[in-house]
Amino acid sequence: MKENRTQTSYLFWLACIFQIHGLHRLYNGKIGTGLLWMCTFGFLGVGQFIDLFLVPGMVDEHNMKLRAKLGISASGMPLQDYAVNPTLVREKELELTKKTQAPTEKELMVKLAQAAQRRGGKLSVTQAVIETGIEFAEIESTLQTMVKKGYVGIDNHPVSGVVIYDFLEL
């Protein structure tokens, strides 16, 4: 399945520079309005300008229709699974969504406390990144928040000098 790309659609939109209007609409399956744009110079340029902001939605709509025609959901699962057990399919889609979403600050604080507990109550930023899989800046920011709230103290490793966060209650 070859989906349309927003960049390609914008290239077709730019054809208006050469007085060829509506190619982006034809590319995204909007044949009627594409032909209308060609005959009216992009609805006298106004429609062409407005489409500058509508192109991403046109591409998404076209791709969604294409996936539906081929029997594929947005998550890549076959649509016939919906008929078999729609609740199970929805749960799988939510699970996929959760995996791609970053945890909330509260969830991250819990993960950091659990990681510290496994390490005797002390945790460096690098160890936290390894334990959670979350980027350095977010880990460091969350640990600083925990310090400000009094949940965590700061110390240095006696040999390496690395900043160590001491989870006081562990």
Side-chain angles (χ1 to χ4, degrees), residues 86-113:
T87 306
L88 180 63
V89 171
R90 181 70 185 139
E91 287 174 5
K92 286 181 181 178
E93 286 182 342
L94 286 173
E95 187 178 312
L96 286 171
T97 303
K98 281 184 180 179
K99 286 181 182 177
T100 58
Q101 289 178 344
T104 64
E105 186 177 48
K106 289 179 183 178
E107 292 171 338
L108 183 52
M109 285 182 181
V110 170
K111 285 184 175 188
L112 291 172

Side-chain angles (χ1 to χ4, degrees), residues 127 155-164:
Q127 291 168 333
D155 199 3
N156 289 85
H157 188 274
V159 177
S160 66
V162 171
V163 175
I164 301 292

Side-chain angles (χ1 to χ4, degrees), residues 1 22 25 29 37 45 69-70 72 74 81 92 112 121 140 157 159 162 165:
M1 174 176 88
R25 286 186 162 270
W37 258 233
K69 190 183 287 187
L70 295 173
I72 300 171
D81 288 353
K92 286 181 181 178
L112 291 172
E140 196 164 22
H157 188 274
V159 177
V162 171
Y165 293 88

Side-chain angles (χ1 to χ4, degrees), residues 34-49:
L35 293 173
L36 180 65
W37 258 233
M38 285 184 146
C39 295
T40 62
F41 300 101
F43 231 60
L44 299 177
V46 175
Q48 190 78 18
F49 177 74

Side-chain angles (χ1 to χ4, degrees), residues 51-145:
D51 280 356
L52 178 63
F53 304 101
L54 300 179
V55 163
M58 282 186 220
V59 172
D60 289 343
E61 181 183 346
H62 173 75
N63 290 339
M64 187 170 51
K65 286 179 182 176
L66 181 61
R67 282 192 295 268
K69 190 183 287 187
L70 295 173
I72 300 171
S73 72
S75 65
M77 298 178 73
L79 285 176
Q80 68 254 18
D81 288 353
Y82 284 100
V84 175
N85 189 346
T87 306
L88 180 63
V89 171
R90 181 70 185 139
E91 287 174 5
K92 286 181 181 178
E93 286 182 342
L94 286 173
E95 187 178 312
L96 286 171
T97 303
K98 281 184 180 179
K99 286 181 182 177
T100 58
Q101 289 178 344
T104 64
E105 186 177 48
K106 289 179 183 178
E107 292 171 338
L108 183 52
M109 285 182 181
V110 170
K111 285 184 175 188
L112 291 172
Q114 291 169 340
Q117 186 177 31
R118 288 190 292 272
R119 295 179 170 274
K122 298 184 184 297
L123 190 66
S124 73
V125 173
T126 304
Q127 291 168 333
V129 168
I130 292 169
E131 290 274 342
T132 63
I134 296 171
E135 64 184 41
F136 283 89
E138 190 172 350
I139 293 289
E140 196 164 22
S141 172
T142 304
L143 286 168
Q144 288 297 325
T145 301

